[in-house]
Amino acid sequence: MSVHRIPSKASSSGESRDDRLAPVIYLPGARPAAATEDALLPEGAEEAAAVSQADAPAAGGSAAPASSRRGPERQARRAENVSLAGLTRRNMSRWEIEGLLRSREIDEQLIEAEVARLESVGLIDDAALAETLVRTQHERKGLGRQGIVSELRRRHIDQQLIDEALEQLEAGDERERARELAEKRASQLRSYDAATAERRLTAFLTRKGYSSSIVREAVAGALKGGSRSGGVRFE
């Protein structure tokens, strides 16, 4: 390193000042260790550096990643998003929501908390869901009592809630629905002989979950002229 002196300019009085040192210019790679970046930090950068240093691991240790430090909060938000997305598609039972959250690898404690939150605001209600399913499965899909029970059990609704929901389904309604289904189905079996049509119609209503007594009554009405439509003629 070389230092050059530059002559000072003469003052207005003609007298000369003391010589001053020129700026020091370092050769590439010769910057001294004492000249740190801290000296060049803008205002406010020291606080940011202190925060970064607080996150840094201590000597001989390792720092937990930011995701793990914020893990529970982020997981809770994720659990909420997953459950609400599922509920916007269709009504779900408690068991179905728990299964959905587990499939997304949500922590069990967070699953329990999320399910409790959904129940507290009425977004999960197995009793109300059971009543809705009894009505819709019977009216729209034409299921009989046993068919409805199987559907609710598949969704892991408690048996007591199932029994209570089935109280709205009266025997007269079930017989009427079975009769309607039998007449509609019988009209599609005209090309079969009477025995084959009876066998197929019986199997159809049985799969729907109707009891044997209701099935026999509905089949007889549809195939033997006991229905209001006057029955169906077969080959």
Side-chain angles (χ1 to χ4, degrees), residues 79 82-83 87 92-108 110-116 118-119 124 126 155-156:
V82 169
S83 59
L87 289 168
M92 302 179 76
S93 66
R94 178 190 178 99
W95 176 80
E96 289 173 319
I97 284 290
E98 290 174 343
L100 176 62
L101 293 172
R102 287 192 185 99
S103 71
R104 299 297 196 277
E105 299 182 350
I106 305 295
D107 182 77
E108 285 295 327
L110 291 174
I111 291 176
E112 184 178 349
E114 174 62 10
V115 169
L118 292 171
E119 288 181 326
I124 293 180
D126 279 7
R155 301 178 71 166
H156 287 246

Side-chain angles (χ1 to χ4, degrees), residues 16 24 54 59 87 94 108 112-113 117 133 139 143 184 197 206 210 216:
S16 61
V24 177
L87 289 168
R94 178 190 178 99
E108 285 295 327
E112 184 178 349
R117 184 189 72 83
L133 289 175
E139 295 177 357
L143 296 187
K184 182 177 180 181
T206 300
Y210 290 96
R216 285 195 300 269

Side-chain angles (χ1 to χ4, degrees), residues 20-31:
R20 298 180 180 177
L21 293 177
V24 177
I25 303 175
Y26 296 99
L27 296 176
R31 187 181 184 88

Side-chain angles (χ1 to χ4, degrees), residues 6 34 151 154 230:
I6 57 175
E151 175 63 18
R154 184 184 68 82

Side-chain angles (χ1 to χ4, degrees), residues 198 219-227 230-232 234:
E198 181 178 354
V219 170
L223 301 183
K224 297 178 181 179
S227 69
V232 178
F234 298 93

Side-chain angles (χ1 to χ4, degrees), residues 62-95:
S62 60
S67 59
S68 66
R69 291 196 300 273
R70 297 189 300 269
E73 296 176 359
R74 294 180 64 183
Q75 285 264 316
R77 289 196 299 271
R78 183 165 177 260
E80 181 178 345
N81 292 336
V82 169
S83 59
L84 291 179
L87 289 168
T88 56
R89 292 192 295 270
R90 66 184 181 94
N91 290 333
M92 302 179 76
S93 66
R94 178 190 178 99
W95 176 80

Side-chain angles (χ1 to χ4, degrees), residues 182 185-205 207 215 219 223-224 232-235:
R185 188 72 170 180
S187 65
Q188 303 171 12
L189 302 174
R190 295 177 185 274
S191 61
Y192 297 96
D193 60 81
T196 301
E198 181 178 354
R199 185 173 63 253
R200 290 184 174 235
L201 187 53
T202 298
F204 169 72
L205 292 177
R207 287 194 301 270
V215 169
V219 170
L223 301 183
K224 297 178 181 179
V232 178
R233 289 186 177 181
F234 298 93
E235 299 294 337

